Amino acid sequence: MPGRTVTLTGWGRISPSAAELAEPASAASAAELLSGGTAARGVIPRGLGRSYNNAAQCAGGVVISTARLNRILSLDASTGLATCEAGVSLEQLMVAGLPAGWFVPVSPGTRQVSVGGAIAADVHGKNHHVAGSFARHVRSFEIVLPGGEPRTVTPQSDPALFWATAGGMGLTGLIVRATVQLKRVATSRVRVDTVRTADIDETMATLAEHDRGYGYTVAWSDSLARGVGLGRSVITSGDFAEPADLPPDDREDPFAFRPGARLGVPPGFPPGLVNRYTVAVANEAWYRKAPRSRRGELQAIGTFFHPLDGIRNWNRVYGPGGFRQYQYVLPFGQDAAVLRSFELVSGARAPSFVTVLKRFGPGDDGLLSFPMAGWTLALDFPARTPGLAGLLGRLDRLVADAGGRVYLAKDSRVPPGVLAEMYPRLAEFAKLRAELDPAGILASDLSRRLGL
Ligand SMILES: Cc1cc2nc3c(=O)[nH]c(=O)nc-3n(C[C@H](O)[C@H](O)[C@H](O)COP(=O)(O)OP(=O)(O)OC[C@H]3O[C@@H](n4cnc5c(N)ncnc54)[C@H](O)[C@@H]3O)c2cc1C
């Protein structure tokens, strides 16, 4: 049944590979694809393709897209329990839930993520310190196992399969539907406080303080600042506003949410425009423009949570070579390693345009889930940045030696041995995979490279 052959990449537009793309419209036809006879080169699920590299690719095999599994099946306006097919996007859940006062429990930096992809990468957001990652809010999911057997899984009924699937990057089966507990909000606006910090010490101290006072917080850091300004940042923290916070005109429609038209990157946008000089200028302008301190600014959901969604094809500004994301988490107590990572990046003059520092709360039980209590830093670099491989290799070593890890949804190059140092439960995951999928039906370009 698989359809046409297509060439796919992740959001970073590196490592293209060709596969048969199947778009089943029901769990039953998805089960046929997983029954084993279809592809000698493996099968992997794909949601909206927002993971940065090749987790949702399978060279020479079959990629099962959930594009047609896109219906919200029920949403209880009194409890906020939503049951939907796995291809439903977080934006769809917002559009359906907000009029009744319900928002997604965890939102990554884009809302163009499917529910299946959010579980498979166990995504985190600006509220990880209070809410944990996405799977914590999943009450149950239905999965088609390799071989084609459907199974309903809750954290109570089958904790091993639940927590191998949460963060398991599609390697335990195809999630076809899920029930998610949404979060009660009083309006669709966020009351935001902004602080500009002078250096890494002030940035880390302010983030720690804001964790105690706000439900959402994050620092945008100037990755190229050096010397006394190393780690200078703009920290934005907030919580959903109460109706009384809104200007009188907006109180008529407290849950207004207009995902709206998005600007496109103009065709012919010159490749190579993101480089160490332009990023240094842009970072300086952004930092200077931010107020030293501002309180109580009302922001729309898109502005606060998903600023990059405002530009369609944002990923094209890096030019045809694409870009590499790198995200680590380092346990609390490893502040010196956080500082060292900033020194390594700014010392290499590697231009990361979107550099985000945040503190995670305690991690959940996902065998391969990324978050753990500690400091997380996300960086993105044009793939053609000179010396990038060496820099990222040095960061890997720093992270592994300090007991941290990198995020599989963004990874494009960590060596398998280093990954095993970072994820102590990898062997447990491999054992469960061997039992669940003895014929090795599920495979992705990522899993082949890392031996997952
Ligand atoms: C601008 C931007 C900002 C981001 N910010 C964040 C952030 O703040 N926090 C964060 O955690 N992540 C962030 N991400 C990463 C993104 O949230 C994850 O990669 C997410 O998994 C993407 O979901 P998707 O539907 O696009 O899945 P895809 O990229 O298509 O697939 C991702 C993985 O999920 C698996 N998968 C997809 N659907 C299913 C299914 N139905 N059943 C089983 N497995 C499935 C795939 O096999 C693959 O391994 C960001 C990405 C972008 C582009």
Side-chain angles (χ1 to χ4, degrees):
M1 119 129 116
R4 51 208 170 93
T5 300
V6 294
T7 299
L8 298 167
T9 68
W11 194 243
R13 304 178 69 237
I14 50 176
S15 331
S17 67
E20 296 280 307
L21 184 71
E23 298 186 312
S26 68
S29 39
E32 276 175 43
L33 292 161
L34 281 160
S35 62
T38 345
R41 286 284 294 162
V43 180
I44 197 72
R46 182 177 179 95
L48 284 164
R50 261 34 179 217
S51 51
Y52 279 91
N53 192 31
N54 53 13
Q57 291 167 229
C58 182
V62 175
V63 170
I64 308 181
S65 160
T66 54
R68 293 170 72 196
L69 297 172
N70 62 354
R71 291 173 305 158
I72 297 177
L73 303 168
S74 66
L75 201 165
D76 185 325
S78 59
T79 63
L81 262 194
T83 297
C84 62
E85 293 183 320
V88 163
S89 69
L90 298 190
E91 179 171 292
Q92 275 177 275
L93 282 181
M94 290 172 203
V95 169
L98 279 166
W102 297 103
F103 185 63
V104 294
V106 166
S107 180
T110 171
R111 55 182 183 265
Q112 305 304 333
V113 160
S114 69
V115 168
I119 298 171
D122 197 12
V123 300
H124 57 269
K126 293 181 177 190
N127 60 348
H128 187 276
H129 58 291
V130 292
S133 44
F134 196 83
R136 191 185 289 187
H137 308 274
V138 173
R139 296 294 165 256
S140 70
F141 57 74
E142 245 179 67
I143 188 166
V144 180
L145 298 176
E149 182 201 337
R151 183 104 44 104
T152 301
V153 184
T154 73
Q156 295 75 33
S157 71
D158 191 345
L161 182 56
F162 187 93
W163 291 111
T165 301
M169 304 308 290
L171 294 166
T172 58
L174 175 79
I175 301 160
V176 287
R177 67 167 64 174
T179 298
V180 182
Q181 176 64 61
L182 303 183
K183 170 195 162 102
R184 190 39 107 201
V185 292
T187 71
S188 61
R189 315 306 194 279
V190 185
R191 213 181 38 235
V192 182
D193 293 347
T194 302
V195 179
R196 200 172 75 183
T197 58
D199 58 27
I200 188 69
D201 289 342
E202 192 187 356
T203 301
M204 292 172 80
T206 308
L207 279 172
E209 184 195 322
H210 282 205
D211 268 11
R212 293 189 286 275
Y214 300 86
Y216 297 95
T217 183
V218 79
W220 170 88
S221 304
D222 180 349
S223 60
L224 290 174
R226 289 191 279 195
V228 292
L230 184 81
R232 67 182 186 174
S233 302
V234 177
I235 298 178
T236 47
S237 308
D239 285 292
F240 276 93
E242 294 299 318
D245 297 325
L246 305 186
D249 284 356
D250 289 354
R251 286 182 208 157
E252 308 272 297
D253 189 6
F255 296 114
F257 175 58
R258 295 174 197 91
R262 298 184 288 150
L263 302 174
V265 174
F269 190 85
L273 207 64
V274 178
N275 58 44
R276 65 182 51 152
Y277 308 105
T278 53
V279 170
V281 170
N283 282 359
E284 180 71 29
W286 176 278
Y287 181 77
R288 293 280 158 221
K289 171 178 111 356
R292 178 73 191 91
S293 170
R294 177 175 57 206
R295 296 183 67 81
E297 187 198 7
L298 289 176
Q299 289 189 3
I301 283 171
T303 311
F304 184 70
F305 290 100
H306 319 117
L308 296 180
D309 283 356
I311 306 172
R312 203 162 19 88
N313 302 335
W314 151 256
N315 53 347
R316 289 184 187 268
V317 303
Y318 296 85
F323 67 108
R324 287 182 199 276
Q325 267 263 346
Y326 186 89
Q327 184 170 0
Y328 74 62
V329 55
L330 283 165
F332 289 132
Q334 294 291 347
D335 298 19
V338 176
L339 171 70
R340 181 74 191 128
S341 69
F342 273 88
E343 287 172 349
L344 285 172
V345 173
S346 70
R349 309 309 294 151
S352 166
F353 194 47
V354 180
T355 306
V356 175
L357 182 68
K358 169 166 182 69
R359 288 160 57 95
F360 280 153
D364 290 291
D365 290 338
L367 295 182
L368 296 190
S369 285
F370 167 66
M372 63 157 98
W375 297 97
T376 184
L377 180 68
L379 299 149
D380 63 0
F381 303 102
R384 59 188 150 62
T385 302
L388 187 58
L391 169 67
L392 297 182
R394 284 189 287 284
L395 285 172
D396 280 348
R397 191 69 345 255
L398 179 77
V399 170
D401 288 348
R405 54 174 75 131
V406 297
Y407 190 12
L408 284 174
K410 301 189 171 182
D411 180 58
S412 56
R413 20 81 38 222
V414 71
V418 179
L419 189 83
E421 289 179 58
M422 295 173 166
Y423 283 87
R425 301 184 75 186
L426 208 53
E428 251 179 276
F429 183 76
K431 182 165 173 289
L432 188 134
R433 279 256 294 150
E435 287 161 12
L436 208 61
D437 187 11
I441 293 169
L442 288 163
S444 62
D445 291 356
L446 177 85
S447 78
R448 289 199 185 100
R449 181 171 63 78
L450 292 173
L452 293 174

